[in-house]
Amino acid sequence: MKIISTIIIILATVLIIFNATKINFNAPLEGDNTVALITILAGLCAIILMLILRISKRIEDKVKNKK
């Protein structure tokens, strides 16, 4: 599970960086810029979800080892 979440985090980071280069900062909410911003937001959500999953698995392992 750790390897898969790491791969997803890396892919989301690459996607964020790629789409950040596509944004026209003079008009960030027009045309293809909107798609780039939405994709950046989706990548950030994916990273947050993977980090939450990792933390919950770590907590689950500690609870199991405590019993």
Side-chain angles (χ1 to χ4, degrees), residues 15 30 47:
L15 191 66
E30 294 179 3
I47 291 172

Side-chain angles (χ1 to χ4, degrees), residues 58-67:
R58 210 177 299 156
I59 291 170
E60 181 182 357
D61 290 341
K62 286 185 180 183
V63 169
K64 282 184 180 178
N65 291 336
K66 193 174 183 180
K67 289 182 179 181

Side-chain angles (χ1 to χ4, degrees), residues 44-62:
L44 290 172
C45 289
I47 291 172
I48 290 170
L49 287 173
M50 288 298 108
L51 292 176
I52 290 171
L53 180 65
R54 275 189 174 183
I55 291 170
S56 67
K57 289 293 181 183
R58 210 177 299 156
I59 291 170
E60 181 182 357
D61 290 341
K62 286 185 180 183

